[in-house]
Amino acid sequence: MGQNGAMYMSAELLAIIFSAAGLLVTLGGGLFAGFAWMIRRTDAQLTEVKISLARLEGPRELLILPRGSVNH
């Protein structure tokens, strides 16, 4: 404690605190980036599956036929 009752931190303790905070920020950013990449990749695979299914099913049937396509 200092003369007026204030507590002082040593340089080593400040270095440990800053290092721990930096490590947490780095790991958190890495996890966030990893999950974002995983979600983007999953969305891309799902889009490919939807396109493949649409190709297998073929075109949708029209409820209202265009003019001139009805055979009398």
Side-chain angles (χ1 to χ4, degrees):
M1 285 198 158
Q3 293 177 352
N4 60 358
M7 290 187 71
Y8 296 107
M9 292 187 163
S10 67
E12 292 85 7
L13 186 57
L14 284 175
I16 290 172
I17 291 173
F18 287 140
S19 296
L23 181 66
L24 287 177
V25 168
T26 302
L27 289 177
L31 284 174
F32 178 77
F35 282 125
W37 175 83
M38 210 167 51
I39 289 171
R40 272 197 329 244
R41 187 65 198 131
T42 302
D43 285 346
Q45 286 169 349
L46 287 178
T47 301
E48 293 170 5
V49 170
K50 288 178 186 177
I51 291 171
S52 299
L53 284 176
R55 286 181 180 158
L56 286 176
E57 292 174 354
R60 295 184 178 184
E61 294 181 16
L62 299 175
L63 295 177
I64 301 173
L65 296 175
R67 292 184 181 202
S69 65
V70 179
N71 294 330
H72 288 29

